[in-house]
Amino acid sequence: MTETTETTTVQDEVLTEVRGQVLIITLNRPKAKNAATENMAKKMAEILDDFESSDELFVAVITGAGNTFCSGMDLKGFVRGERPSVEGRGFLSLTEQPPKKPIIAAVEGYALAGGFETMLACDLVVAADTAKFGIPEVKRGLAAAAGGLVTLPQRTHRAVAMEMALTGDIYSAEFGKTNGFVNRIVGDGQALDAAIELAQTIAANGPLAVKASKQVIVESADWSTEEKFAKQSAIVDPVFTSADAKEGATAFAEKRAPRWTGK
């Protein structure tokens, strides 16, 4: 039986739940469409640090309560001088320094502004067919500085990123899938379950291999043709000599599920 643990209180703006090796993070301000606050950013920093250091958790899923992912920054807090970010880590402590382990966004409803940029900081995106995306900061006299201007062009075509940033318009899940920033589209209300299923598929694999694979894909964008295989070797060679690599081969030969140790 899969172990499930949950920590929630009425006033918590960020909730966590563990299902096996998967951490589920829920942004929990549904009445405000999960608009991000300074307090949420600080809590996210703690949660993500614990996730990264855990030997038991392999993949995280981030979602929002109340059929909305995140509508962006809490503008009332912004007027008071608050920012929903942590220095060096970005919006919700995620956009500038994502975890080294995989993280999946499960999107229902709106992922706008900082919410969209939070989604972009995730490695994979599962979206309901009714989900809506956009970086409408220009409509408020602001700029999409949490990743909309620098990360989105890496996840889609330059022309698409330019249109989204300059118009501030809202776009559909199908638009996101067509233009490369949504991986899977599911029915309304099914995004979290589908994201957890995807996370569990990833978590069943060797954690060292998964982590190294993500690292190479993320970092190789800046590698030259001449250096890419040498730099890749520095990251993946330890995987091939790990106890997990031996266990994976042994489990295959013995026709059983591998027992990973992360070593």
Side-chain angles (χ1 to χ4, degrees):
M1 180 179 294
T2 300
E3 179 184 357
T4 299
T5 62
E6 185 173 3
T7 58
T8 66
T9 61
V10 173
Q11 71 272 17
D12 280 344
E13 293 184 336
V14 184
L15 309 179
T16 62
E17 177 185 349
V18 173
R19 299 192 192 180
Q21 282 74 48
V22 177
L23 173 67
I24 303 166
I25 304 168
T26 303
L27 307 177
N28 189 43
R29 296 187 71 222
K31 292 183 179 179
K33 297 191 182 298
N34 301 319
T37 64
E38 184 177 290
N39 179 58
M40 291 169 73
K42 292 177 180 177
K43 286 191 174 185
M44 283 288 289
E46 297 174 3
I47 291 167
L48 293 171
D49 282 345
D50 289 344
F51 166 63
E52 195 77 288
S53 64
S54 173
D55 293 330
E56 306 298 326
L57 298 173
F58 298 166
V59 186
V61 174
I62 182 169
T63 191
N67 298 314
T68 294
F69 184 72
C70 177
S71 59
M73 175 173 61
D74 185 279
L75 293 179
K76 293 180 180 178
F78 174 72
V79 172
R80 292 193 301 269
E82 297 178 6
R83 299 290 289 273
S85 60
V86 171
E87 186 174 356
R89 303 183 69 142
F91 192 91
L92 284 178
S93 296
L94 180 64
T95 57
E96 293 179 27
Q97 193 180 73
K100 294 179 181 178
K101 297 176 181 178
I103 185 165
I104 302 170
V107 181
E108 299 278 352
Y110 290 102
L112 302 178
F116 179 75
E117 292 162 310
T118 297
M119 184 201 82
L120 286 179
C122 298
D123 302 295
L124 299 167
V125 177
V126 177
D129 53 14
T130 52
K132 302 294 182 184
F133 305 99
I135 40 176
E137 282 89 342
V138 291
K139 294 182 181 294
R140 302 164 188 162
L142 301 171
L149 304 181
V150 294
T151 304
L152 181 57
Q154 298 173 346
R155 296 284 291 270
T156 187
H157 304 295
R158 178 183 182 276
V160 171
M162 192 71 77
E163 177 184 330
M164 293 182 71
L166 300 188
T167 65
D169 286 344
I170 308 300
Y171 298 85
S172 68
E174 189 59 44
F175 179 90
K177 182 75 160 57
T178 299
N179 288 289
F181 58 81
V182 170
N183 293 86
R184 300 183 180 183
I185 297 177
V186 296
D188 189 30
Q190 298 176 25
L192 179 57
D193 287 344
I196 292 171
E197 182 179 356
L198 178 59
Q200 290 171 336
T201 298
I202 296 170
N205 298 325
L208 291 179
V210 167
K211 190 175 180 180
S213 296
K214 171 178 173 174
Q215 184 180 352
V216 170
I217 290 172
V218 170
E219 295 182 7
S220 62
D222 298 324
W223 296 349
S224 69
T225 301
E226 293 75 19
E227 67 184 357
K228 63 183 180 182
F229 282 104
K231 289 198 169 186
Q232 175 182 261
S233 293
I235 296 170
V236 304
D237 283 358
V239 174
F240 284 85
T241 58
S242 68
D244 273 359
K246 184 176 180 180
E247 167 62 12
T250 302
F252 178 79
E254 296 177 356
K255 299 181 180 180
R256 60 171 174 82
R259 294 184 286 269
W260 308 118
T261 62
K263 298 178 182 178

